[in-house]
Amino acid sequence: MQERAGRAVVVSGTNVKLPTALGIPLGFIVSELITNSAKYAKGNITVRMEKSATGYLLSVSDDGRGLPAAYDPGRSKGLGMKIIQTLVKQIGGALQFAPRDGGRATRVTVAFRPQL
């Protein structure tokens, strides 16, 4: 956990060994998502890795105001979201957006299956 000025980045979940070809893009994706959360949310940011029935889920969540109901990442003009989408496609993953905590805040999840 990294704390600064009343904020923290909390990392939790499963340990996983990934090939470099997957680990590097995932690292860039997490970095971009944390940067977005730091811009738009005030409190803690949580990064979580968990096993799913079909592979793994890597999520970044915050306590910000959340995304608009009609948010379409494909129409985003931001360079960061374009980078995230390109990297998710590169690893054969799926990008999911969901509200947290009763509709407020944001959770962005990358579902992926390692090809080991």
Side-chain angles (χ1 to χ4, degrees):
M1 180 163 61
Q2 179 73 26
E3 286 193 53
R4 186 171 195 173
R7 297 178 73 174
V9 175
V10 180
V11 180
S12 67
T14 273
N15 284 329
V16 91
K17 291 185 181 185
L18 299 173
T20 303
L22 189 57
I24 291 172
L26 285 172
F28 282 123
I29 291 166
V30 168
S31 178
E32 283 295 326
L33 291 172
I34 289 172
T35 299
N36 285 347
S37 288
K39 281 187 204 176
Y40 300 109
K42 300 275 188 242
N44 295 342
I45 299 165
T46 302
V47 179
R48 181 164 180 77
M49 173 74 80
E50 52 195 311
K51 195 162 180 53
S52 74
T54 59
Y56 292 94
L57 301 172
L58 175 65
S59 64
V60 176
S61 55
D62 62 44
D63 65 349
R65 66 179 182 262
L67 295 168
Y71 179 73
D72 178 2
R75 300 186 72 175
S76 174
K77 294 184 184 341
L79 179 60
M81 190 52 63
K82 290 184 189 320
I83 290 169
I84 291 167
Q85 290 178 302
T86 299
L87 292 170
V88 169
K89 185 176 179 180
Q90 176 185 324
I91 65 170
L95 190 59
Q96 305 162 353
F97 296 85
R100 240 185 77 197
D101 302 331
R104 291 197 38 87
T106 302
R107 178 180 169 128
V108 180
T109 302
V110 178
F112 66 97
R113 173 182 266 167
Q115 303 298 321
L116 303 174

